[in-house]
Structure formats: C-alpha cells, structure tokens
Amino acid sequence: DPFLSISYRFAIAALILLAFCLFTGALKTTKLNRASYGFIALQGLLVFCCNYYLSYLGVSMLTTGLVAVCFST
C-alpha cells in the first residue's frame, strides 16, 4: 500500500525534525500558540502528504520509462 509507506516516511521525518528542534531549542524561541501549531500541522499534511500520495498514485498508473522521462525534464 503506497499510503502506508508514505506515512512511515513522513512520520520518521517528523520525529527527526522534532528531535532537532528540541536539541537546538527552536521550540522555545517561537511565539506561536496552540492553534497556530495545529494550522501548521494541517498545512503540512495537506501540502506535502496529500500531494505526495496523489503523485505516487499517478506514477503507479504509468510505465517506468515515461515516469523517468517526466521526472528528468
């Protein structure tokens, strides 16, 4: 299932980014409220995860040669 592999990829990336922010103290210096963090999470989910998932589905319906040509240009 492509959605499961995409979910794993983005979950691991989110954990690495959270660890980096905790290590560098970046979360302490931001002045965002809880609603802003929710909006940022929703935006990231829609812009990156949904876009990547739909691209993954579209690529799965094409031949590999055509996908290679499309991504190389």
Side-chain angles (χ1 to χ4, degrees):
D1 184 30
F3 188 70
L4 187 62
S5 66
I6 293 169
S7 299
Y8 284 145
R9 180 180 292 181
F10 279 97
I12 291 169
L15 289 174
I16 291 170
L17 184 60
L18 179 64
F20 176 77
C21 288
L22 290 173
F23 180 72
T24 60
L27 293 178
K28 295 177 185 176
T29 60
T30 58
K31 305 291 185 212
L32 299 174
N33 57 10
R34 190 176 291 268
S36 295
Y37 282 116
F39 178 72
I40 291 169
L42 177 66
Q43 185 178 6
L45 181 72
L46 293 176
V47 170
F48 293 108
C49 295
C50 291
N51 183 20
Y52 197 76
Y53 177 67
L54 292 175
S55 298
Y56 209 89
L57 282 179
V59 166
S60 69
M61 296 179 190
L62 299 173
T63 60
T64 56
L66 181 60
V67 171
V69 169
C70 290
F71 279 122
S72 68
T73 57

